[in-house]
Structures are given as structure tokens and as C-alpha cells.
Amino acid sequence: RDDFMDLIGNTPMVVIQSLSKETGCRILGKCEYLNPGGSSKDRVAKNIVREAEEQGYLKEGGTIVEGTSGSTGISLAQVARSRGYSCCIVMPDDQAKEKRDLITALGAKIKLVKPAAIVNQNHYVNEARKLANGIPGGFFANQFETMANFRAHALYTGPEIWKQTSGNIDAFVMSSGTGGTIAGVGSFLKAKNPRIQVVLADPPGSSLYHKINSGVLYTDEQAEKTQKRHRYDTITEGVGIDRLTTNMAAGLASIDEAYRVSDEETASMA
């Protein structure tokens, strides 16, 4: 390959034999862990940086800044290093230490902040935006709101899945953080075949379950007088959210239904 970013994407799919046997369905998993950074966020980082370069927002000597729970930080750190940029990641301090260690090992700087709601100026996304604005040549990646995220999956991940299954697919199921993957892939698949079911698996504390099923962005943790300081009452990291991002909104109509998945179910499946 001529470029490190050429290693990202085109991951294989594998039949999950245990689940297929249990359900009587042919269940496939897309092996996104085989991306260099170990997740589908490599696709997002690649497309955000590529579009930023093409549009002149990211130039030689620039610094990529992002607020993330970790996976996108890992992806941006390695893409930044391969392209010769500096990278600074803002993270909540309750995320896994292993993520922080890997981001640092890839040469990026980390700023830790306390967990906070998005309306709080100390939320990690808001802190990242402020930090980028204060750095000459700084570029705020903005994974939650940039449509480069959505396009990474609508233009690449979705078509890969369609090709690998020869279009023989009945349903696409996944969770959501920024919303870019399920919205992008879901929109592409629905355009190819409107009968394909796109389903969200949502953790406790996330508002998307009710948004998909009843049209109201709400979760029990937000009930009056019971709202918790940190709403994500779950062991999962990087999925679940209490707002509607630009990425999710772009593909909301493509999602047919949502299921609430408990931590116990998540741990058991893992």
C-alpha cells in the first residue's frame, strides 16, 4: 500500500456460528477490529482528515483536536502521525486507562476532564472545540456533527457490506455513539433495498431508544427531579447518547426500531 490510510477499511465478514445456531438465522459480523486502530472509528478519522485536507481546513504543521471517549482518539492519533500532524485528545477521566495509554503511545497529547452534560462548557467536546480554536493551525475534528462521519459509512462501509453479502441481507443491527455508522450504513442499505430492517441496540441511559420507537428524545435518567449528574448509567463506553447529533439525524428515517440492551446482556454476550 502507498499510504497508511489505505490499510483502513475493506474488513472481512465472518459467520458467527454460535448465534446463527441459536437463532436459526445466518448472522454475520463485520470484523472492524482488523482496522489498524482496532475499530470502525478508523474509517471516520480517515474521512474527516481527508475531507479537511481537500477543503483546506487542515494544512501542513496543523494540529488535530478532538473530544472522544477514546476509540476515535486512537484512530485520529494514528492518522495524524501518518500524515505528519500533531494531535490532542480531550477525554472524560472515567474512560479505560488502556485507551489513554495507547493514544499517548501513538504520540498524541491527552487532556482529561470530568464527565459533564453537553450543555456544560466543560464537556469534553466543548473543551476540545475551545482548545482547537486557541491553537494556530488547530482543526477541530467534530466527529459528532461533521457529515464526513456519515459519509465514511454511506460511501464505504455500507457498500462493502452490500458487496460482501451479495445484497442478501435482511437486517443490520448495531449500537450508536455519534450515530455516523448506523445512519450512514442504514441509509445506504435502505436505498438499495427498502425492506432491509435497520435496528438500533441502545444501552441504559441513552435517549435514542425512545427517539426511534416513539419520536421523543428521552430516557428515564432524565426524569424530573431524578436526573443524574452523569446520565450514562452503563458499563459500556462509546455508545449511548442523550442528544440527537447531525449524523444520526441524517439517517434517522432509515432506522426501523430500537431495543434496549442491559449491561447484563452486554456482558453475557461479550
Side-chain angles (χ1 to χ4, degrees), residues 113-140:
V113 297
K114 293 295 182 183
I118 188 66
V119 294
N120 190 316
Q121 287 305 302
N122 295 321
H123 184 276
Y124 63 90
V125 171
N126 297 328
E127 284 284 352
R129 182 184 294 105
K130 288 186 292 184
L131 186 61
N133 289 338
I135 298 174
F139 169 71
F140 177 45

PDB file of all heavy atoms in Angstrom, residues 113-140:
ATOM      1  N   VAL A 113     -10.887  15.503  31.406  1.00  0.00           N
ATOM      2  CA  VAL A 113     -11.869  16.381  32.039  1.00  0.00           C
ATOM      3  C   VAL A 113     -12.891  15.529  32.776  1.00  0.00           C
ATOM      4  O   VAL A 113     -13.044  14.330  32.517  1.00  0.00           O
ATOM      5  CB  VAL A 113     -12.591  17.266  30.992  1.00  0.00           C
ATOM      6  CG1 VAL A 113     -11.616  18.191  30.302  1.00  0.00           C
ATOM      7  CG2 VAL A 113     -13.325  16.405  29.974  1.00  0.00           C
ATOM      8  N   LYS A 114     -13.612  16.132  33.692  1.00  0.00           N
ATOM      9  CA  LYS A 114     -14.658  15.438  34.419  1.00  0.00           C
ATOM     10  C   LYS A 114     -15.867  15.207  33.505  1.00  0.00           C
ATOM     11  O   LYS A 114     -16.172  16.036  32.662  1.00  0.00           O
ATOM     12  CB  LYS A 114     -15.092  16.252  35.638  1.00  0.00           C
ATOM     13  CG  LYS A 114     -14.017  16.391  36.719  1.00  0.00           C
ATOM     14  CD  LYS A 114     -13.690  15.043  37.339  1.00  0.00           C
ATOM     15  CE  LYS A 114     -12.655  15.188  38.443  1.00  0.00           C
ATOM     16  NZ  LYS A 114     -12.282  13.850  39.005  1.00  0.00           N
ATOM     17  N   PRO A 115     -16.564  14.080  33.661  1.00  0.00           N
ATOM     18  CA  PRO A 115     -17.785  13.856  32.879  1.00  0.00           C
ATOM     19  C   PRO A 115     -18.792  14.978  33.123  1.00  0.00           C
ATOM     20  O   PRO A 115     -18.934  15.453  34.252  1.00  0.00           O
ATOM     21  CB  PRO A 115     -18.304  12.523  33.417  1.00  0.00           C
ATOM     22  CG  PRO A 115     -17.106  11.841  33.998  1.00  0.00           C
ATOM     23  CD  PRO A 115     -16.259  12.949  34.574  1.00  0.00           C
ATOM     24  N   ALA A 116     -19.453  15.415  32.079  1.00  0.00           N
ATOM     25  CA  ALA A 116     -20.434  16.503  32.190  1.00  0.00           C
ATOM     26  C   ALA A 116     -21.428  16.406  31.044  1.00  0.00           C
ATOM     27  O   ALA A 116     -21.159  15.774  30.018  1.00  0.00           O
ATOM     28  CB  ALA A 116     -19.730  17.865  32.166  1.00  0.00           C
ATOM     29  N   ALA A 117     -22.575  17.027  31.215  1.00  0.00           N
ATOM     30  CA  ALA A 117     -23.576  17.074  30.150  1.00  0.00           C
ATOM     31  C   ALA A 117     -23.081  17.985  29.034  1.00  0.00           C
ATOM     32  O   ALA A 117     -22.285  18.901  29.260  1.00  0.00           O
ATOM     33  CB  ALA A 117     -24.903  17.584  30.705  1.00  0.00           C
ATOM     34  N   ILE A 118     -23.579  17.784  27.823  1.00  0.00           N
ATOM     35  CA  ILE A 118     -23.133  18.551  26.670  1.00  0.00           C
ATOM     36  C   ILE A 118     -23.429  20.043  26.821  1.00  0.00           C
ATOM     37  O   ILE A 118     -22.731  20.882  26.248  1.00  0.00           O
ATOM     38  CB  ILE A 118     -23.783  18.008  25.370  1.00  0.00           C
ATOM     39  CG1 ILE A 118     -23.164  18.671  24.125  1.00  0.00           C
ATOM     40  CG2 ILE A 118     -25.289  18.179  25.402  1.00  0.00           C
ATOM     41  CD1 ILE A 118     -21.706  18.346  23.893  1.00  0.00           C
ATOM     42  N   VAL A 119     -24.432  20.412  27.608  1.00  0.00           N
ATOM     43  CA  VAL A 119     -24.749  21.826  27.807  1.00  0.00           C
ATOM     44  C   VAL A 119     -23.722  22.512  28.700  1.00  0.00           C
ATOM     45  O   VAL A 119     -23.669  23.738  28.771  1.00  0.00           O
ATOM     46  CB  VAL A 119     -26.160  22.000  28.408  1.00  0.00           C
ATOM     47  CG1 VAL A 119     -27.221  21.544  27.418  1.00  0.00           C
ATOM     48  CG2 VAL A 119     -26.296  21.256  29.728  1.00  0.00           C
ATOM     49  N   ASN A 120     -22.906  21.719  29.382  1.00  0.00           N
ATOM     50  CA  ASN A 120     -21.855  22.244  30.244  1.00  0.00           C
ATOM     51  C   ASN A 120     -20.629  22.573  29.391  1.00  0.00           C
ATOM     52  O   ASN A 120     -20.189  21.757  28.580  1.00  0.00           O
ATOM     53  CB  ASN A 120     -21.503  21.195  31.310  1.00  0.00           C
ATOM     54  CG  ASN A 120     -20.592  21.731  32.386  1.00  0.00           C
ATOM     55  OD1 ASN A 120     -19.627  22.429  32.113  1.00  0.00           O
ATOM     56  ND2 ASN A 120     -20.889  21.369  33.629  1.00  0.00           N
ATOM     57  N   GLN A 121     -20.073  23.748  29.572  1.00  0.00           N
ATOM     58  CA  GLN A 121     -18.916  24.153  28.778  1.00  0.00           C
ATOM     59  C   GLN A 121     -17.672  23.318  29.061  1.00  0.00           C
ATOM     60  O   GLN A 121     -16.694  23.356  28.307  1.00  0.00           O
ATOM     61  CB  GLN A 121     -18.610  25.639  29.009  1.00  0.00           C
ATOM     62  CG  GLN A 121     -19.606  26.571  28.353  1.00  0.00           C
ATOM     63  CD  GLN A 121     -19.747  26.300  26.860  1.00  0.00           C
ATOM     64  OE1 GLN A 121     -18.769  26.352  26.110  1.00  0.00           O
ATOM     65  NE2 GLN A 121     -20.963  25.999  26.411  1.00  0.00           N
ATOM     66  N   ASN A 122     -17.723  22.541  30.147  1.00  0.00           N
ATOM     67  CA  ASN A 122     -16.596  21.674  30.480  1.00  0.00           C
ATOM     68  C   ASN A 122     -16.748  20.262  29.914  1.00  0.00           C
ATOM     69  O   ASN A 122     -15.908  19.400  30.165  1.00  0.00           O
ATOM     70  CB  ASN A 122     -16.429  21.596  32.002  1.00  0.00           C
ATOM     71  CG  ASN A 122     -16.047  22.938  32.602  1.00  0.00           C
ATOM     72  OD1 ASN A 122     -15.253  23.684  32.017  1.00  0.00           O
ATOM     73  ND2 ASN A 122     -16.606  23.265  33.748  1.00  0.00           N
ATOM     74  N   HIS A 123     -17.830  20.015  29.173  1.00  0.00           N
ATOM     75  CA  HIS A 123     -17.995  18.730  28.492  1.00  0.00           C
ATOM     76  C   HIS A 123     -16.801  18.536  27.554  1.00  0.00           C
ATOM     77  O   HIS A 123     -16.285  19.487  26.971  1.00  0.00           O
ATOM     78  CB  HIS A 123     -19.303  18.733  27.704  1.00  0.00           C
ATOM     79  CG  HIS A 123     -19.619  17.437  27.039  1.00  0.00           C
ATOM     80  ND1 HIS A 123     -19.104  17.095  25.803  1.00  0.00           N
ATOM     81  CD2 HIS A 123     -20.396  16.393  27.437  1.00  0.00           C
ATOM     82  CE1 HIS A 123     -19.570  15.902  25.461  1.00  0.00           C
ATOM     83  NE2 HIS A 123     -20.350  15.455  26.431  1.00  0.00           N
ATOM     84  N   TYR A 124     -16.369  17.281  27.390  1.00  0.00           N
ATOM     85  CA  TYR A 124     -15.134  17.040  26.633  1.00  0.00           C
ATOM     86  C   TYR A 124     -15.202  17.539  25.189  1.00  0.00           C
ATOM     87  O   TYR A 124     -14.190  17.990  24.639  1.00  0.00           O
ATOM     88  CB  TYR A 124     -14.745  15.560  26.687  1.00  0.00           C
ATOM     89  CG  TYR A 124     -15.708  14.571  26.070  1.00  0.00           C
ATOM     90  CD1 TYR A 124     -15.605  14.204  24.734  1.00  0.00           C
ATOM     91  CD2 TYR A 124     -16.718  13.967  26.836  1.00  0.00           C
ATOM     92  CE1 TYR A 124     -16.470  13.282  24.168  1.00  0.00           C
ATOM     93  CE2 TYR A 124     -17.589  13.050  26.282  1.00  0.00           C
ATOM     94  CZ  TYR A 124     -17.465  12.707  24.951  1.00  0.00           C
ATOM     95  OH  TYR A 124     -18.327  11.787  24.397  1.00  0.00           O
ATOM     96  N   VAL A 125     -16.365  17.518  24.571  1.00  0.00           N
ATOM     97  CA  VAL A 125     -16.493  18.026  23.208  1.00  0.00           C
ATOM     98  C   VAL A 125     -16.317  19.547  23.186  1.00  0.00           C
ATOM     99  O   VAL A 125     -15.616  20.098  22.331  1.00  0.00           O
ATOM    100  CB  VAL A 125     -17.851  17.640  22.596  1.00  0.00           C
ATOM    101  CG1 VAL A 125     -18.068  18.367  21.264  1.00  0.00           C
ATOM    102  CG2 VAL A 125     -17.932  16.135  22.387  1.00  0.00           C
ATOM    103  N   ASN A 126     -16.942  20.221  24.145  1.00  0.00           N
ATOM    104  CA  ASN A 126     -16.822  21.680  24.212  1.00  0.00           C
ATOM    105  C   ASN A 126     -15.397  22.110  24.551  1.00  0.00           C
ATOM    106  O   ASN A 126     -14.893  23.107  24.030  1.00  0.00           O
ATOM    107  CB  ASN A 126     -17.806  22.229  25.254  1.00  0.00           C
ATOM    108  CG  ASN A 126     -19.248  21.956  24.878  1.00  0.00           C
ATOM    109  OD1 ASN A 126     -19.587  21.919  23.695  1.00  0.00           O
ATOM    110  ND2 ASN A 126     -20.104  21.755  25.872  1.00  0.00           N
ATOM    111  N   GLU A 127     -14.748  21.344  25.414  1.00  0.00           N
ATOM    112  CA  GLU A 127     -13.354  21.638  25.756  1.00  0.00           C
ATOM    113  C   GLU A 127     -12.456  21.469  24.529  1.00  0.00           C
ATOM    114  O   GLU A 127     -11.541  22.264  24.307  1.00  0.00           O
ATOM    115  CB  GLU A 127     -12.884  20.705  26.875  1.00  0.00           C
ATOM    116  CG  GLU A 127     -13.401  21.061  28.264  1.00  0.00           C
ATOM    117  CD  GLU A 127     -12.675  22.260  28.865  1.00  0.00           C
ATOM    118  OE1 GLU A 127     -11.673  22.720  28.273  1.00  0.00           O
ATOM    119  OE2 GLU A 127     -13.109  22.731  29.923  1.00  0.00           O
ATOM    120  N   ALA A 128     -12.724  20.446  23.737  1.00  0.00           N
ATOM    121  CA  ALA A 128     -11.914  20.220  22.537  1.00  0.00           C
ATOM    122  C   ALA A 128     -12.088  21.354  21.537  1.00  0.00           C
ATOM    123  O   ALA A 128     -11.130  21.808  20.905  1.00  0.00           O
ATOM    124  CB  ALA A 128     -12.304  18.880  21.904  1.00  0.00           C
ATOM    125  N   ARG A 129     -13.327  21.816  21.371  1.00  0.00           N
ATOM    126  CA  ARG A 129     -13.588  22.919  20.446  1.00  0.00           C
ATOM    127  C   ARG A 129     -12.827  24.177  20.875  1.00  0.00           C
ATOM    128  O   ARG A 129     -12.190  24.844  20.036  1.00  0.00           O
ATOM    129  CB  ARG A 129     -15.087  23.204  20.382  1.00  0.00           C
ATOM    130  CG  ARG A 129     -15.453  24.311  19.395  1.00  0.00           C
ATOM    131  CD  ARG A 129     -16.927  24.630  19.416  1.00  0.00           C
ATOM    132  NE  ARG A 129     -17.743  23.512  18.941  1.00  0.00           N
ATOM    133  CZ  ARG A 129     -18.465  22.722  19.727  1.00  0.00           C
ATOM    134  NH1 ARG A 129     -18.482  22.918  21.040  1.00  0.00           N
ATOM    135  NH2 ARG A 129     -19.178  21.736  19.217  1.00  0.00           N
ATOM    136  N   LYS A 130     -12.887  24.481  22.164  1.00  0.00           N
ATOM    137  CA  LYS A 130     -12.172  25.660  22.674  1.00  0.00           C
ATOM    138  C   LYS A 130     -10.671  25.513  22.485  1.00  0.00           C
ATOM    139  O   LYS A 130      -9.983  26.474  22.102  1.00  0.00           O
ATOM    140  CB  LYS A 130     -12.503  25.859  24.162  1.00  0.00           C
ATOM    141  CG  LYS A 130     -13.909  26.367  24.433  1.00  0.00           C
ATOM    142  CD  LYS A 130     -14.121  26.691  25.900  1.00  0.00           C
ATOM    143  CE  LYS A 130     -14.099  25.442  26.757  1.00  0.00           C
ATOM    144  NZ  LYS A 130     -14.405  25.723  28.191  1.00  0.00           N
ATOM    145  N   LEU A 131     -10.172  24.329  22.746  1.00  0.00           N
ATOM    146  CA  LEU A 131      -8.742  24.078  22.617  1.00  0.00           C
ATOM    147  C   LEU A 131      -8.286  24.265  21.175  1.00  0.00           C
ATOM    148  O   LEU A 131      -7.264  24.903  20.904  1.00  0.00           O
ATOM    149  CB  LEU A 131      -8.418  22.660  23.100  1.00  0.00           C
ATOM    150  CG  LEU A 131      -6.944  22.266  23.166  1.00  0.00           C
ATOM    151  CD1 LEU A 131      -6.195  23.170  24.144  1.00  0.00           C
ATOM    152  CD2 LEU A 131      -6.814  20.802  23.618  1.00  0.00           C
ATOM    153  N   ALA A 132      -9.049  23.736  20.229  1.00  0.00           N
ATOM    154  CA  ALA A 132      -8.692  23.853  18.805  1.00  0.00           C
ATOM    155  C   ALA A 132      -8.687  25.308  18.361  1.00  0.00           C
ATOM    156  O   ALA A 132      -7.817  25.739  17.590  1.00  0.00           O
ATOM    157  CB  ALA A 132      -9.666  23.044  17.956  1.00  0.00           C
ATOM    158  N   ASN A 133      -9.655  26.073  18.843  1.00  0.00           N
ATOM    159  CA  ASN A 133      -9.747  27.486  18.467  1.00  0.00           C
ATOM    160  C   ASN A 133      -8.570  28.299  18.987  1.00  0.00           C
ATOM    161  O   ASN A 133      -8.246  29.352  18.430  1.00  0.00           O
ATOM    162  CB  ASN A 133     -11.058  28.084  18.990  1.00  0.00           C
ATOM    163  CG  ASN A 133     -12.269  27.572  18.237  1.00  0.00           C
ATOM    164  OD1 ASN A 133     -12.158  27.114  17.108  1.00  0.00           O
ATOM    165  ND2 ASN A 133     -13.432  27.643  18.866  1.00  0.00           N
ATOM    166  N   GLY A 134      -7.915  27.811  20.027  1.00  0.00           N
ATOM    167  CA  GLY A 134      -6.800  28.541  20.612  1.00  0.00           C
ATOM    168  C   GLY A 134      -5.438  28.124  20.102  1.00  0.00           C
ATOM    169  O   GLY A 134      -4.417  28.664  20.524  1.00  0.00           O
ATOM    170  N   ILE A 135      -5.394  27.170  19.179  1.00  0.00           N
ATOM    171  CA  ILE A 135      -4.130  26.671  18.641  1.00  0.00           C
ATOM    172  C   ILE A 135      -3.958  27.143  17.202  1.00  0.00           C
ATOM    173  O   ILE A 135      -4.827  26.883  16.359  1.00  0.00           O
ATOM    174  CB  ILE A 135      -4.085  25.116  18.673  1.00  0.00           C
ATOM    175  CG1 ILE A 135      -4.172  24.607  20.103  1.00  0.00           C
ATOM    176  CG2 ILE A 135      -2.813  24.603  18.008  1.00  0.00           C
ATOM    177  CD1 ILE A 135      -4.268  23.088  20.191  1.00  0.00           C
ATOM    178  N   PRO A 136      -2.865  27.838  16.869  1.00  0.00           N
ATOM    179  CA  PRO A 136      -2.628  28.216  15.468  1.00  0.00           C
ATOM    180  C   PRO A 136      -2.573  26.953  14.597  1.00  0.00           C
ATOM    181  O   PRO A 136      -1.825  26.024  14.880  1.00  0.00           O
ATOM    182  CB  PRO A 136      -1.260  28.908  15.525  1.00  0.00           C
ATOM    183  CG  PRO A 136      -1.161  29.414  16.932  1.00  0.00           C
ATOM    184  CD  PRO A 136      -1.825  28.366  17.780  1.00  0.00           C
ATOM    185  N   GLY A 137      -3.392  26.917  13.567  1.00  0.00           N
ATOM    186  CA  GLY A 137      -3.431  25.731  12.719  1.00  0.00           C
ATOM    187  C   GLY A 137      -4.231  24.593  13.310  1.00  0.00           C
ATOM    188  O   GLY A 137      -4.208  23.473  12.789  1.00  0.00           O
ATOM    189  N   GLY A 138      -4.968  24.886  14.383  1.00  0.00           N
ATOM    190  CA  GLY A 138      -5.765  23.850  15.026  1.00  0.00           C
ATOM    191  C   GLY A 138      -7.000  23.494  14.206  1.00  0.00           C
ATOM    192  O   GLY A 138      -7.635  24.366  13.614  1.00  0.00           O
ATOM    193  N   PHE A 139      -7.334  22.217  14.195  1.00  0.00           N
ATOM    194  CA  PHE A 139      -8.514  21.731  13.471  1.00  0.00           C
ATOM    195  C   PHE A 139      -9.342  20.862  14.408  1.00  0.00           C
ATOM    196  O   PHE A 139      -8.857  19.854  14.923  1.00  0.00           O
ATOM    197  CB  PHE A 139      -8.102  20.931  12.239  1.00  0.00           C
ATOM    198  CG  PHE A 139      -9.244  20.175  11.605  1.00  0.00           C
ATOM    199  CD1 PHE A 139     -10.245  20.850  10.928  1.00  0.00           C
ATOM    200  CD2 PHE A 139      -9.319  18.790  11.704  1.00  0.00           C
ATOM    201  CE1 PHE A 139     -11.308  20.159  10.352  1.00  0.00           C
ATOM    202  CE2 PHE A 139     -10.366  18.091  11.131  1.00  0.00           C
ATOM    203  CZ  PHE A 139     -11.377  18.777  10.456  1.00  0.00           C
ATOM    204  N   PHE A 140     -10.587  21.265  14.644  1.00  0.00           N
ATOM    205  CA  PHE A 140     -11.497  20.513  15.497  1.00  0.00           C
ATOM    206  C   PHE A 140     -12.193  19.456  14.652  1.00  0.00           C
ATOM    207  O   PHE A 140     -12.959  19.771  13.750  1.00  0.00           O
ATOM    208  CB  PHE A 140     -12.517  21.471  16.126  1.00  0.00           C
ATOM    209  CG  PHE A 140     -13.567  20.798  16.970  1.00  0.00           C
ATOM    210  CD1 PHE A 140     -13.233  19.802  17.877  1.00  0.00           C
ATOM    211  CD2 PHE A 140     -14.900  21.170  16.859  1.00  0.00           C
ATOM    212  CE1 PHE A 140     -14.203  19.183  18.651  1.00  0.00           C
ATOM    213  CE2 PHE A 140     -15.877  20.564  17.631  1.00  0.00           C
ATOM    214  CZ  PHE A 140     -15.527  19.566  18.528  1.00  0.00           C
TER     215      PHE A 140
END
